[in-house]
Amino acid sequence: MPSDVTEADREATAALILKLRSKGIGSQKVLSALERVPRRLFLSAPLQRHAYEDSALPIECGQTISQPTIVAMMTEALDVAPEHRVLEIGTGSGYQAAILGHLSRDVRTIERYKTLADLARARLSTLKIDTVHVHHGDGTEGLAEKAPFDRIIVTAATPELPQALIDQLADGGKLVAPRGPAGDVQSLVVIERKGATTVSRDLAQVRFVPLVEGVANRL
């Protein structure tokens, strides 16, 4: 572990893992990945004392870091294997990407805010996670030049998923995303592509910030 990670981080992370187990997260590989990523390092200094609470917290650019239970649930539903090519829409703090980086050898993550993209890149470097590549761009367009992807995760909500993301999902692939209106309860859905068709199932009710087109005008 990097020197930035303290014994207190390790103890608090271990306690968080126990809490996630009690909430029904059963995948050992997901829990192991979460255990290797200290959430404190993805928050600004004033909020670090809340890092290991099971709650969403504000981050830069008016965005949020999801609560650990939701991160674990989405990661478990994604069912990532080392050989899977993974695309994340909405890098945010980089916390979810860091966890995915311990599960896959090739993770691409897109963030519309340059400030967030730069911060996430620095945090991933600090943790020596070199399996994640951060892109500053429009997440609604996906990353066609690297498609298809075996797994796609969207960390912002939209009433309808952009067709570009469906098109970039490999046959047999899975996509996990919150679907619904901004500012209201949304459904966390798992979509599986089977040839030219997709099959969808609801996983839970959630609240996420909205998925916005374009690259942000402000940093």
Side-chain angles (χ1 to χ4, degrees), residues 21-98:
R21 284 185 186 279
S22 73
K23 292 193 173 185
I25 304 301
S27 169
Q28 187 53 50
K29 67 180 181 181
V30 169
L31 292 170
S32 294
L34 279 153
E35 195 166 20
R36 296 173 70 183
V37 180
R39 193 169 182 245
R40 178 181 63 82
L41 300 187
F42 294 84
L43 291 163
S44 59
L47 290 171
Q48 289 186 357
R49 67 183 186 278
H50 301 295
Y52 300 104
E53 298 171 5
D54 190 22
S55 59
L57 294 167
I59 59 171
E60 297 80 4
C61 301
Q63 303 302 294
T64 59
I65 182 173
S66 296
Q67 71 182 95
T69 296
I70 297 298
V71 171
M73 183 189 302
M74 293 179 76
T75 308
E76 190 171 56
L78 208 59
D79 190 23
V80 177
E83 69 274 11
H84 286 156
R85 302 181 72 245
V86 181
L87 175 64
E88 179 191 33
I89 307 302
T91 311
S93 68
Y95 179 64
Q96 174 74 78

Side-chain angles (χ1 to χ4, degrees), residues 141-183:
E141 296 178 354
L143 202 62
E145 65 269 27
K146 298 295 181 181
F149 294 94
D150 303 293
R151 299 290 188 265
I152 299 177
I153 182 170
V154 185
T155 60
T158 179
E160 294 298 331
L161 285 165
Q163 188 60 43
L165 300 184
I166 302 295
D167 291 344
Q168 290 172 35
L169 186 63
D171 190 11
K174 288 184 180 181
L175 184 155
V176 177
R179 187 165 61 190

Side-chain angles (χ1 to χ4, degrees), residues 200-216:
S200 174
R201 63 183 173 89
D202 289 355
L203 192 62
Q205 290 190 323
V206 292
R207 283 183 184 269
F208 275 80
V209 296
L211 181 65
V212 180
E213 289 184 23
V215 176

